[in-house]
Amino acid sequence: MTLMEKIISRKATVGVLGLGYVGLPLAVEKAKAGFNVIGFDIQKSKVDMVNAGHNYIGDVVDSDLEKLVKDKKLRATTDYDEINNCDVITICVPTPLDKFKQPDLTYIVESTKQIKTRLHKNMLVTLESTTYPGTTNEVVLPILEETGLKVGKDFFLAFSPERVDPGNLIYKTKNTPKIVGGVTPECTKHAKAMYEAILDAPVKVVSSPREAEMAKILENTFRIVNIALANEMALVSHRMGINYWEVIDAAATKPFGFMPFYPGPGVGGHCIPIDPFYLTYKAREYDYHTRLIELAGEINDSMSEYVVERLSDLLNDRKKCMNGSKILVMGVAYKGDIDDIRESPALKVIEHLEKKGSVVIYHDPYIPKFVHNNKRYESVPITKELLNSIDGVIITTAHKKHVDYQFLIENAPLVFDTKNVTKDISLQGKYPNLYIL
């Protein structure tokens, strides 16, 4: 039976390397489509949880995972020798930036080496980890071809960028359109067939992995640049005494040529603050400096310091000093109503507050505890006594659930909302202690 026949008949064994926010939902959808799926991860704790049917990713339905494991359609392992049993392997590992904002491809390279030693004929390898244009051809392919097997003939290789939006109630892995670019036409053909067997969404084919890699970068560069514009407009509007949130609502009534983006204390998550800098890095190889992207990054990075300065001014108006003040940070997740703190701007806000001598506590209904810069933090319960004992609150995450903002504002001496989550309360106009970015 050919690989294509195995894919179409759902008889292919599929492996997913990396069981995080991208990998586990993908593994679940592949198993739900009828494939036998093996998940690989270096963290034994994740492997044990999957094999016990215990879910740890918000976008995965608990009962789906439990049933798939019980039915033996999905299992996890730390043993990479199991790759030998796979017909299809998808790489979904992290691609962070180092402290110089340069790509760290360590996880991709190590995963590819694990595949290389077990690569066999008629195997499809797809890379989903976000990276710079050229990674599939220039990094992954040479490692795999060290085996002597030829791409497009003996094995197939393609890039298909992940499009995960944690907490999105409409678009999940199953119904989000996919992009696929193979190293050869046969590679594209096999990868397209694989994703069409899994998804209830169109699969867009592009000429090569480079176009697919660049498409992913464009998607998030579009967002980082427009968020930077929103942040800069907010800074100018504040100086001019203009309510910028009202400006956005007004502009958003235009049915064409405008898309609303919102200011805040910075940008978070794995994609927006990271992906564009993969292009910045690669562009230097072609003697080009992505000035707009770099400037957008600078503006967004500066917002955490700006909101702390604004809070300092508000405290000063009340004859309070930032040094020694007790500040409650409301929300440390990078996005509302999720439990993900990756690259969260709230972490930078906490850093700036502590540098200025503030005593920082936090509350987040989704994140009971976390470690940052080797320091442990635990969420505190919101009580009237607590709010009466602090000097100010800064809202850094727009949680819509499990937070009583009315209670917060009525009992805290000062509330600075950087996400406009208290908009409806502020419209009442009777809370002089409430300020919005």
Side-chain angles (χ1 to χ4, degrees):
M1 185 179 290
T2 66
L3 176 58
M4 183 62 76
E5 289 171 338
K6 287 183 178 180
I7 291 172
I8 293 173
S9 64
R10 310 295 200 275
K11 292 182 179 179
T13 297
V14 180
V16 177
L17 269 62
L19 296 175
Y21 289 91
V22 175
L24 185 59
L26 184 62
V28 166
E29 291 302 334
K30 288 181 174 182
K32 286 171 66 177
F35 293 98
N36 289 316
V37 180
I38 305 173
F40 297 84
D41 204 284
I42 59 175
Q43 296 184 43
K44 189 175 184 299
S45 58
K46 287 184 178 180
V47 167
D48 290 343
M49 288 185 72
V50 169
N51 288 333
H54 296 159
N55 179 36
Y56 51 87
I57 298 293
D59 285 351
V60 172
V61 177
D62 294 357
S63 57
D64 284 350
L65 178 62
E66 186 177 3
K67 184 176 188 304
L68 291 168
V69 172
K70 183 178 179 181
D71 293 344
K72 300 187 185 306
K73 297 299 294 183
L74 172 62
R75 61 187 175 88
T77 182
T78 58
D79 182 5
Y80 285 90
D81 278 339
E82 294 260 18
I83 293 174
N84 289 311
N85 302 319
C86 295
D87 302 294
V88 179
I89 287 286
T90 301
I91 302 172
C92 301
V93 295
T95 48
L97 296 174
D98 64 21
K99 64 181 180 179
F100 302 109
K101 287 200 170 184
Q102 296 187 76
D104 180 357
L105 300 185
T106 301
Y107 295 107
I108 289 180
V109 171
E110 291 305 314
S111 295
T112 305
K113 287 180 178 178
Q114 294 288 353
I115 296 170
K116 181 194 77 172
T117 59
R118 301 160 178 95
L119 187 68
H120 55 76
K121 287 189 175 183
N122 296 316
M123 177 183 277
L124 168 65
V125 179
T126 61
L127 174 63
E128 289 214 8
S129 304
T130 304
T131 184
Y132 58 75
T135 301
T136 305
N137 285 73
E138 299 166 13
V139 177
V140 177
L141 179 58
I143 294 174
L144 296 181
E145 286 200 320
E146 288 175 4
T147 60
L149 297 175
K150 296 301 180 184
V151 69
K153 179 182 177 183
D154 300 320
F155 72 96
F156 309 100
L157 175 63
F159 181 79
S160 181
E162 58 89 0
R163 281 174 161 173
V164 174
D165 184 17
N168 193 314
L169 299 179
I170 299 174
Y171 290 104
K172 306 289 186 182
T173 300
K174 182 75 170 177
N175 65 340
T176 300
K178 262 290 192 181
I179 300 171
V180 170
V183 175
T184 70
E186 279 298 309
C187 294
T188 301
K189 178 182 174 182
H190 283 78
K192 181 174 183 286
M194 185 67 216
Y195 285 109
E196 285 180 335
I198 302 165
L199 307 177
D200 289 335
V203 178
K204 171 67 175 178
V205 169
V206 293
S207 302
S208 77
R210 289 166 61 86
E211 281 75 21
E213 291 159 342
M214 182 66 97
K216 173 62 175 179
I217 297 295
L218 173 60
E219 292 169 15
N220 286 316
T221 299
F222 172 81
R223 296 172 72 186
I224 195 175
V225 168
N226 280 283
I227 292 171
L229 174 61
N231 281 329
E232 189 161 63
M233 291 291 285
L235 301 184
V236 175
S237 295
H238 173 66
R239 293 194 177 196
M240 299 175 71
I242 295 172
N243 183 333
Y244 184 58
W245 297 96
E246 189 175 341
V247 171
I248 298 173
D249 288 344
T253 62
K254 185 179 180 182
F256 53 88
F258 182 82
M259 179 182 294
F261 284 82
Y262 302 96
V267 293
H270 175 68
C271 291
I272 302 176
I274 292 178
D275 296 356
F277 293 99
Y278 272 76
L279 180 61
T280 294
Y281 167 83
K282 189 64 175 178
R284 296 192 191 109
E285 184 179 316
Y286 295 86
D287 195 26
Y288 187 84
H289 294 276
T290 52
R291 291 169 291 173
L292 183 59
I293 296 173
E294 293 176 32
L295 180 58
E298 289 176 17
I299 293 171
N300 292 332
D301 285 347
S302 71
M303 288 303 292
S304 58
E305 187 171 9
Y306 169 76
V307 299
V308 170
E309 290 175 354
R310 280 280 302 276
L311 179 61
S312 179
D313 290 341
L314 293 171
L315 288 168
N316 188 61
D317 290 342
R318 287 162 172 71
K319 296 180 170 53
K320 297 271 187 182
C321 178
M322 180 68 81
N323 192 348
S325 63
K326 189 174 183 180
I327 304 299
L328 172 65
V329 173
M330 283 296 298
V332 292
Y334 84 84
K335 180 182 177 183
D337 299 318
I338 66 170
D339 62 354
D340 191 346
I341 66 169
R342 291 178 297 172
E343 306 297 326
S344 174
L347 303 180
K348 292 182 180 179
V349 169
I350 291 173
E351 288 179 15
H352 289 303
L353 287 170
E354 292 183 336
K355 284 179 182 177
K356 289 183 176 294
S358 296
V359 176
V360 179
I361 55 176
Y362 90 95
H363 174 79
D364 193 309
Y366 296 88
I367 302 174
K369 59 186 176 181
F370 68 95
V371 176
H372 182 60
N373 289 338
N374 298 317
K375 182 177 179 180
R376 294 183 63 84
Y377 297 83
E378 290 191 9
S379 179
V380 298
I382 302 300
T383 64
K384 187 173 183 178
E385 291 73 24
L386 174 77
L387 297 176
N388 288 335
S389 72
I390 64 175
D391 297 298
V393 177
I394 182 167
I395 299 174
T396 47
T397 305
H399 290 314
K400 301 288 179 61
K401 303 173 184 176
H402 311 302
V403 178
D404 187 343
Y405 292 106
Q406 188 81 40
F407 180 80
L408 186 76
I409 294 165
E410 288 179 352
N411 291 282
L414 167 66
V415 177
F416 179 35
D417 179 3
T418 71
K419 301 295 291 184
N420 200 32
V421 73
T422 62
K423 173 185 176 181
D424 292 340
I425 300 174
S426 69
L427 290 175
Q428 299 174 26
K430 61 179 181 179
Y431 296 105
N433 63 324
L434 173 59
Y435 298 84
I436 297 179
L437 177 67

